[in-house]
């Protein structure tokens, strides 16, 4: 069953104050859109995530989407409805899908159980939406309205792909409230599942301030530790912390044997308790032979991003009598900072010898240790 999530991010969102459109404003140090994407990218029931953007926002989008594996952006149109249609047509043009989830980029907190409930409801329905009861009294022109039967409707909204595409193509009315309204008017029954208060849409500057506070409360800190050793072998250069260094010996290993990046990868994976480098890149698999260890680090970074995590800091110690690390330290910090997409100020590279004791002291190999600190959403 193929299910594509389509995020509508083409709006201008001017009510949230000055600065970029609200879907690109920072929340917890990352663009709102990036938060909206990750639960969908990480969900096993979702095959692909596509984003409809405004043509002026291409750079902002590239930055927001850098952490996720995404299909190419789709250029949106003047209204939300037209942008959804353009998105659906782009999906149809690249092979279509069986199901589609339509989501607003300005709802950065999407609990996974809501996605589960929507996908379950699509068994037997062409449309499903998350709803919440109204708890406050409702008044219009000084007159109290009955609350019974009134629901607040959220996104994502889930649909059979072909049914929604047909309804969009046939639409000739005014701008609708949402896609579910269009389906209802076309005669489809719309199933309702339980929504979530955290899914609310960010609109005003106050919404952003509240969301920032909630985000800070909801992140917990985790620390991971990584250790690795590689033996010296024949060669005239070696890789250490992403930097190639001329030396009278090389390091032996299945990949490029960058012992420092291997320790770093394990520290990062340790923060999300997702095994070690060998779990993700088995040395028995010939496709990792000679591969650059930056591939391993990038994978760990993507796994952390898929959990909605933020890397705060890494500390890396290289244990060797030689080569001397000092002359390469700055280049190493820059290389690791690029891989982690962090400021070099958050990357520590240290070196020590073991006073000629043990295997490193005898010059038989190099060892490395790393510690990483990551903040993750509570419950990860
Ligand atoms: Mg290794």
């Amino acid at each position: 069953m193929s299910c594509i999530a389509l995020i509508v991010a083409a709006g201008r969102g001017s009510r949230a104050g000055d600065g970029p459109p609200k879907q690109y404003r920072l929340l917890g140090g990352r663009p709102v859109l990036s938060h909206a994407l990750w639960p969908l990218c990480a969900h096993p029931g979702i095959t692909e995530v596509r984003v409809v953007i405004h043509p002026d926002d291409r750079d902002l989008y590239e930055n927001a989407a850098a952490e996720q594996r995404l299909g190419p952006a789709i250029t949106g149109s003047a209204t939300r409805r037209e942008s959804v249609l353009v998105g659906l047509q782009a999906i149809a043009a690249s092979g279509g899908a069986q199901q589609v989830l339509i989501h607003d980029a300005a709802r950065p907190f999407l609990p996974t159980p809501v996605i589960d409930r929507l996908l379950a409801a699509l068994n037997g329905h062409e449309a499903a939406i998350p709803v919440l009861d109204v708890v406050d009294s409702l008044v219009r022109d000084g007159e109290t309205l009955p609350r019974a039967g009134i629901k607040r409707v959220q996104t994502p909204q889930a649909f059979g792909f072909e049914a929604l595409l047909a309804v969009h193509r046939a639409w000739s009315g005014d701008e609708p409230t949402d896609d579910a309204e269009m389906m209802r008017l076309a005669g489809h029954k719309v199933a309702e599942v339980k929504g979530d208060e955290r899914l609310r849409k960010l609109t005003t500057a106050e919404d952003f301030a509240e969301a920032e506070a909630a985000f800070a409360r909801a992140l917990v800190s985790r620390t991971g530790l990584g250790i690795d050793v590689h033996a010296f072998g024949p060669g005239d250069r070696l890789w250490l912390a992403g930097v190639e260094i001329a030396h009278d010996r090389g390091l032996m290993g299945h990949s490029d044997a960058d012992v420092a990046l291997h320790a770093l990868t394990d520290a990062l994976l340790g923060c999300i308790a997702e095994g070690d480098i060998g779990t993700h890149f088995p040395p028995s698999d010939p496709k990792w032979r000679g591969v650059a260890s930056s591939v391993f680090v990038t994978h760990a970074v993507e796994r952390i991003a898929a959990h909605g995590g933020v890397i705060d800091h890494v500390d890396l110690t290289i244990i060797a009598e030689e080569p001397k690390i000092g002359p390469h330290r700055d280049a190493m910090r820059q290389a690791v900072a690029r891989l982690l997409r962090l400021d070099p100020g958050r990357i520590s590279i240290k070196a020590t010898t073991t006073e000629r004791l043990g295997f490193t002291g005898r010059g038989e190999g190099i060892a490395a240790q790393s510690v990483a600190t990551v903040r993750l959403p509570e419950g990860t």
Side-chain angles (χ1 to χ4, degrees):
M1 180 69 73
S2 65
C3 178
I4 296 186
L6 182 65
I7 317 256
V8 196
R12 301 287 81 195
S14 53
R15 272 183 293 171
D18 294 339
K22 62 183 176 180
Q23 61 273 32
Y24 298 106
R25 288 186 54 169
L26 296 186
L27 186 62
R30 295 164 61 206
V32 166
L33 174 62
S34 169
H35 290 285
L37 291 175
W38 77 260
L40 294 161
C41 291
H43 197 283
I46 295 187
T47 329
E48 193 186 10
V49 176
R50 299 291 300 272
V51 184
V52 184
I53 67 167
H54 191 279
D56 294 348
D57 295 343
R58 206 150 277 278
D59 289 347
L60 288 167
Y61 171 75
E62 295 300 332
N63 177 44
E67 293 163 358
Q68 320 283 351
R69 293 165 197 268
L70 292 175
I74 300 160
T75 303
S77 199
T79 67
R80 185 186 187 279
R81 180 187 61 78
E82 287 168 353
S83 287
V84 172
L85 174 58
V86 166
L88 293 173
Q89 283 173 329
I91 293 169
S94 47
Q98 281 149 309
Q99 300 172 338
V100 64
L101 262 59
I102 311 287
H103 189 40
D104 293 330
R107 298 180 192 264
F109 304 114
L110 170 53
T112 301
V114 176
I115 305 174
D116 296 337
R117 291 195 283 270
L118 287 167
L119 294 181
L122 279 188
N123 288 321
H125 292 94
E126 291 287 7
I129 55 174
V131 299
L132 288 173
D133 289 333
V134 175
V135 290
D136 297 319
S137 298
L138 298 174
V139 177
R140 183 167 58 202
D141 297 333
E143 195 179 324
T144 303
L145 301 176
R147 243 176 358 212
I150 306 267
K151 299 272 173 61
R152 287 186 286 150
V153 178
Q154 302 180 311
T155 78
Q157 302 185 344
F159 305 98
F161 178 79
E162 289 299 336
L164 184 66
L165 180 60
V167 164
H168 264 272
R169 281 186 169 149
W171 185 258
S172 59
D174 295 335
E175 183 73 4
T177 303
D178 57 14
D179 303 280
E181 184 193 8
M182 296 170 71
M183 288 289 275
R184 202 178 288 111
L185 289 172
H188 291 285
K189 179 166 168 34
V190 178
E192 293 177 358
V193 305
K194 194 163 152 299
D196 195 299
E197 289 291 352
R198 287 169 289 181
L199 247 180
R200 73 199 180 90
K201 194 171 190 169
L202 303 189
T203 304
T204 63
E206 290 74 35
D207 292 342
F208 271 86
E210 257 176 65
E212 192 69 58
F215 188 75
R217 282 195 300 275
L219 285 186
V220 292
S221 195
R222 299 253 191 101
T223 304
L225 176 68
I227 297 175
D228 197 31
V229 170
H230 279 260
F232 281 120
D236 59 2
R237 52 197 52 249
L238 50 80
W239 282 92
L240 270 180
V243 174
E244 194 174 35
I245 299 173
H247 192 55
D248 57 3
R249 284 176 296 171
L251 285 174
M252 295 195 294
H254 193 70
S255 63
D256 66 7
D258 189 328
V259 61
L261 290 191
H262 294 184
L264 174 62
T265 302
D266 271 0
L268 294 170
L269 291 173
C271 292
I272 46 174
E274 288 202 353
D276 55 32
I277 197 167
T279 317
H280 297 260
F281 303 94
S284 55
D285 189 336
K287 82 173 163 201
W288 308 122
R289 180 164 300 150
V291 75
S293 297
S294 56
V295 170
F296 308 150
V297 178
T298 299
H299 176 73
V301 170
E302 284 173 355
R303 290 304 308 150
I304 289 168
H307 286 284
V310 182
I311 302 170
D312 273 335
H313 167 260
V314 298
D315 186 17
L316 189 52
T317 303
I318 298 166
I319 306 163
E321 298 293 333
E322 56 174 18
K324 292 285 170 252
I325 303 304
H328 306 287
R329 188 195 309 264
D330 282 344
M332 290 174 172
R333 286 180 85 194
Q334 297 292 342
V336 173
R338 266 196 306 277
L339 286 174
L340 302 186
R341 302 179 194 122
L342 287 182
D343 187 279
R346 291 167 181 260
I347 314 293
S348 159
I349 305 277
K350 313 201 302 296
T352 186
T353 70
T354 50
E355 300 292 342
R356 307 222 164 264
L357 298 171
F359 70 87
T360 51
R362 292 188 297 271
E364 294 167 10
I366 298 182
Q369 293 189 337
S370 181
V371 171
T373 310
V374 166
R375 278 175 299 142
L376 288 162
E378 218 163 356
T380 302

